Amino acid sequence: MRLVEILIPKEKRESVEEVLDGEDIDYTLIEESSRQEPSVVITFPLPTPAVESVLDSLREIGIDEDSYTVIVEAETVVSKRFDDLEQRYAENSQRISREEMQARAKDLTPRFNTYVVMTVMSVVVATAGLLLDSPAVVVGSMVIAPLIGPALGASVGTVIDDPALFRRGITLQAIGLGIGVVTAASFAFVVRTTGLVSPMIDLFTISEIRGRLRPDLLSLVIAIGAGVAGAWTLTAGTSAALVGVMIAAALVPPLGVVGIGIAWGYPEVAFAASVLVLINMLTINVTSLAVLWYKGYRPDNWSQQDDARVATGKRVLVLVVAIVALSGFLGTVTYDTYRTGMYEEEVHDDVAAVLDSEEYDELTLVDVTVEYADPTPLRQPERVVVTVGYPVGTDPPPIAAEIQPRESVYAESAIHLPTGPLVESQRAEVVVHYTEREQ
């Protein structure tokens, strides 16, 4: 529930009282004598879903949108009329008023200096966590990232036709991305050149990094969930702290991978992570826009509603086109995941078929691992590592030569990349590791 306080001209007092009495709203009036023009301060409690409707009714009788208005959360209201009012509005959408949402969106974005410092620190912590392969540190970086405010601010500014809020949200998102990439690249370069990590470190064996090199279409689910949850939480008037962590999860770790790819001289790594960052940010913006529009937020002025509708349509179209274009890369990754998965299954079946023969009935298949020459799509197999167990005290038979001719090739003789050259399929080298086992 909310407690609303409005400063109104004295000549509007009777009109305001008629509106409030018509809604069976309890209110108090205090004459304000400190101003040159006679004024009245009117205070009344409202159920949260009723705030926007009542304020719109007051504006219809001439209470200006820029009039002094305070809306605060009320803990308890003891009043029979308020209970009836609450029941009457119970079926309405449980959302805060347009004015309160606008204020919350502004409050979610800290001052510029604070925004820059927190963005820098979150990216530094994320980059360190990636290099340490520490999920706990990476999660910690998401907690301090201030990225929820600009994303939601741009969407709120669009649907209620607030150009200043929209420009601030877009500007801060762009600045955040730029600062994030520069910070991650600089920090990773310092870490690499000063020997804080081993010179022999293999980035592609680090699970926290490897998981963000091949973003597939499922990655969109994270961004969609973050955008919907962020906008829904904002309209419900509840804490957005946890949703802010989810939005940061879609943006901060990939920014760290972009910087690591730049510092280590892997342009393909930087490119793959950059696509993930961009598509996540665009998806968060378009889904939050859709939620706010679905919840019915519009400017209160009829002339502004048409402008907001046109602006929202244009911005959604631009965002969707950009997302579809970038999704081509995600589709390629998804196809590559399917293709390599099928290949690995066929290789496993080939190896199992060899070991199922009577000649090798004493051998046990422990593991089959396919290693790839390139960590980013489209990947080509470089080595098949087969681990088999054999009885203690016996000599393991040389089965690599028999597995090699049977090793599967891709279903297609060649793969044509949408934006690249023809990639010829190749047969991987087969390496067999033996491990003794008790009979």
Side-chain angles (χ1 to χ4, degrees), residues 87-143:
Q87 291 180 5
R88 182 155 30 108
Y89 280 95
E91 296 181 358
N92 284 24
S93 174
Q94 295 296 315
R95 64 182 182 88
I96 61 177
S97 67
R98 180 176 52 251
E99 293 80 4
E100 192 174 353
M101 181 190 67
Q102 185 177 11
R104 283 176 175 267
K106 292 178 179 178
D107 291 342
L108 282 173
T109 304
R111 292 179 178 273
F112 182 75
N113 290 343
T114 303
Y115 176 77
V116 171
V117 171
M118 296 303 289
T119 300
V120 168
M121 294 312 302
S122 65
V123 173
V124 167
V125 172
T127 307
L130 291 167
L131 292 172
L132 292 171
D133 201 15
S134 171
V137 176
V138 174
V139 171
S141 71
M142 305 171 192
V143 175

